[in-house]
């Protein structure tokens, strides 16, 4: 079996599945297995492939036809120009979350500038948000917390791979590792992309998400607002005066989360939409 034949076979298998891009996905999977760049496959379409590689490719394509996410098959996802390791047990970072990070980078540019500052990221997952801030802002000291082992392990590996020394991860429930007095009024920015899907929407999720991504990253009670309630109620203790609280939110949660922030005494509360005019980010100043 040569490269072009195997690619054609893979494309045929993926053709009728929703949410796939067969042409691209088969090339990404085969190039990863061969340890070569995608462009190699265009140049060497008639290269004969060893049997065991053909078998491994077919196994992965079969998994993909069952809805297993491409990013877990490849073991990586790109986020803000960084190649992040991802694996089962860790949410695959989304393009939507780049909107939150871009907002933060603009805020840092305008309101903080070159001075040193501190950030707390609640619910780190792969480390997407915390590592992006640490990478683009060498004057930041970024802290992250997650309740589960897999995100902590993966985020720490991503931190090592990126060679970042201004990030520290803690294990715990929301603010629990930061209960000591020394953390009161410590953070310039508290950011979170917490679980925010209402329990009732479990059944309607895309297979890739509902069956394979960790439910501890997804669901947040009956109305999806549990984490916003808990974090907002405690955030004032840990944030500096005039510090920024920033959340990623679900597309229809803008009003509810903005009301929560106002009720807890945050000012200048804003809902920011994505490019399709859906609510995506809520921010407020302490
Ligand atoms: C929606 S994911 C976001 C991951 C990452 N920040 C991103 O944007 O790709 C939510 C994260 O919150 C973590 N989490 C869930 N419950 C938590 C809790 N009680 N305390 C801290 N982290 C929690 C999950 O393990 C998961 O990594």
């Amino acid at each position: 079996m040569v490269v072009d034949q195997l690619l054609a076979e893979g494309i045929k298998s993926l053709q009728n599945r929703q949410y796939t891009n067969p042409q691209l996905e088969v090339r990404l999977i085969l190039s990863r297995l061969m340890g070569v760049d995608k462009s190699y496959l265009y140049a060497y379409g008639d290269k004969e492939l060893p049997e065991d590689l053909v078998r491994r490719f077919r196994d992965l394509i079969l998994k993909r036809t069952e809805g297993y996410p491409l990013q877990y098959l490849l073991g990586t996802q790109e986020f803000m120009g960084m190649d992040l390791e991802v694996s089962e047990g860790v949410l695959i970072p989304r393009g939507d979350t780049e909107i939150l990070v871009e907002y933060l980078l603009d805020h840092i540019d305008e309101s903080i500038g070159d001075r040193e500052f501190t950030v707390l990221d609640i619910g780190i997952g792969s480390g997407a948000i915390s590592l992006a801030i640490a990478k683009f802002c060498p004057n930041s000291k970024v802290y992250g917390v997650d309740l589960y082992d897999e995100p902590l392990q993966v985020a720490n590996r991503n931190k090592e791979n990126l060679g970042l020394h201004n990030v520290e991860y803690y294990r715990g429930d929301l603010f629990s590792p930061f209960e000591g007095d020394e953390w009161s009024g410590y953070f310039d920015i508290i950011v979170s992309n917490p679980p925010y899907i209402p329990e009732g929407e479990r059944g309607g999720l895309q297979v890739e998400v509902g069956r394979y991504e960790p439910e501890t990253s997804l669901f947040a009670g009956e109305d999806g607002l549990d984490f916003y309630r808990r974090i907002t109620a405690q955030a004032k203790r840990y944030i500096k005066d005039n510090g920024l609280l920033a959340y990623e939110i679900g597309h229809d949660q803008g009003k509810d989360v903005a009301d929560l922030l106002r009720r807890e005494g945050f000012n200048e509360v804003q809902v920011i939409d994505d490019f399709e005019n859906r609510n995506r980010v809520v921010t407020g100043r302490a």
Side-chain angles (χ1 to χ4, degrees):
M1 177 82 62
V2 300
V3 164
D4 279 347
Q5 284 172 316
L6 194 59
L7 289 174
E9 182 188 303
I11 290 166
K12 203 162 161 232
S13 306
L14 292 185
Q15 233 154 24
N16 297 322
R17 253 207 75 74
Q18 261 185 312
Y19 310 114
T20 58
N21 180 343
Q23 298 276 353
L24 176 65
E25 293 193 12
V26 293
R27 285 187 167 79
L28 287 171
I29 291 170
L30 187 57
S31 58
R32 178 58 55 92
L33 283 177
M34 293 172 71
V36 297
D37 195 78
K38 263 194 347 278
S39 55
Y40 178 98
L41 303 178
Y42 291 102
Y44 295 96
D46 53 1
K47 183 181 164 58
E48 191 67 40
L49 295 167
E51 260 312 301
D52 72 312
L53 195 140
V54 172
R55 208 172 317 114
R56 278 191 289 145
F57 176 84
R58 285 180 175 148
D59 287 347
L60 294 184
I61 293 293
L62 181 65
K63 269 187 123 170
R64 186 70 193 101
T65 61
E66 291 162 357
Y68 194 79
L70 176 71
Q71 293 87 344
Y72 289 160
L73 287 179
L74 299 174
T76 62
Q77 170 64 35
E78 187 272 339
F79 183 83
M80 298 289 299
M82 306 177 293
D83 267 329
L84 297 180
E85 175 190 329
V86 291
S87 60
E88 285 184 48
V90 173
L91 188 93
I92 299 163
R94 306 293 205 268
D96 288 335
T97 306
E98 295 187 339
I99 296 173
L100 171 64
V101 173
E102 296 278 6
Y103 177 89
L104 292 175
L105 295 178
D106 286 347
H107 166 84
I108 291 161
D109 218 27
E110 284 162 21
S111 306
I112 295 181
D114 291 337
R115 76 170 165 86
E116 291 189 356
F117 67 99
T118 50
V119 180
L120 173 61
D121 175 20
I122 300 179
I124 58 173
S126 61
I129 298 171
S130 44
L131 295 171
I133 297 172
K135 177 172 179 233
F136 291 108
C137 306
N139 52 327
S140 64
K141 177 77 212 256
V142 185
Y143 300 81
V145 59
D146 208 287
L147 188 53
Y148 301 98
D149 282 338
E150 188 76 14
L152 286 160
Q153 283 166 13
V154 170
N156 269 310
R157 280 201 293 275
N158 281 325
K159 170 187 144 171
E160 295 302 317
N161 291 340
L162 290 163
L164 293 169
H165 302 293
N166 52 340
V167 192
E168 244 176 74
Y169 292 128
Y170 292 75
R171 187 196 164 106
D173 178 22
L174 307 186
F175 294 99
S176 65
F178 308 99
E179 264 160 20
D181 286 344
E182 67 273 27
W183 297 102
S184 284
Y186 190 80
F187 297 105
D188 290 282
I189 296 173
I190 296 178
V191 57
S192 185
N193 171 21
Y196 57 68
I197 301 177
E199 275 296 336
E201 291 181 18
R202 218 174 244 273
L205 294 176
Q206 186 184 326
V207 174
E208 276 83 346
V209 182
R211 190 183 302 163
Y212 297 108
E213 290 203 86
E215 60 175 72
T216 47
S217 293
L218 301 177
F219 302 105
E222 206 173 311
D223 60 2
L225 303 176
D226 281 4
F227 284 89
Y228 301 118
R229 278 193 205 93
R230 290 184 60 208
I231 296 170
T232 314
Q234 299 177 67
K236 270 277 174 84
R237 181 175 160 210
Y238 301 93
I239 201 167
K240 284 187 184 159
D241 277 348
N242 206 30
L244 184 84
L245 175 63
Y247 290 129
E248 176 170 323
I249 54 162
H251 66 93
D252 55 359
Q253 293 173 329
K255 183 180 176 315
D256 288 337
V257 178
D259 286 348
L260 267 173
L261 262 70
R262 287 191 196 99
R263 230 175 292 143
E264 294 293 342
F266 285 86
N267 304 307
E268 300 173 41
V269 175
Q270 291 185 65
V271 179
I272 295 144
D273 289 346
D274 62 17
F275 307 112
E276 288 165 28
N277 296 321
R278 295 170 308 186
N279 298 167
R280 186 48 64 196
V281 170
V282 169
T283 64
R285 301 293 285 251

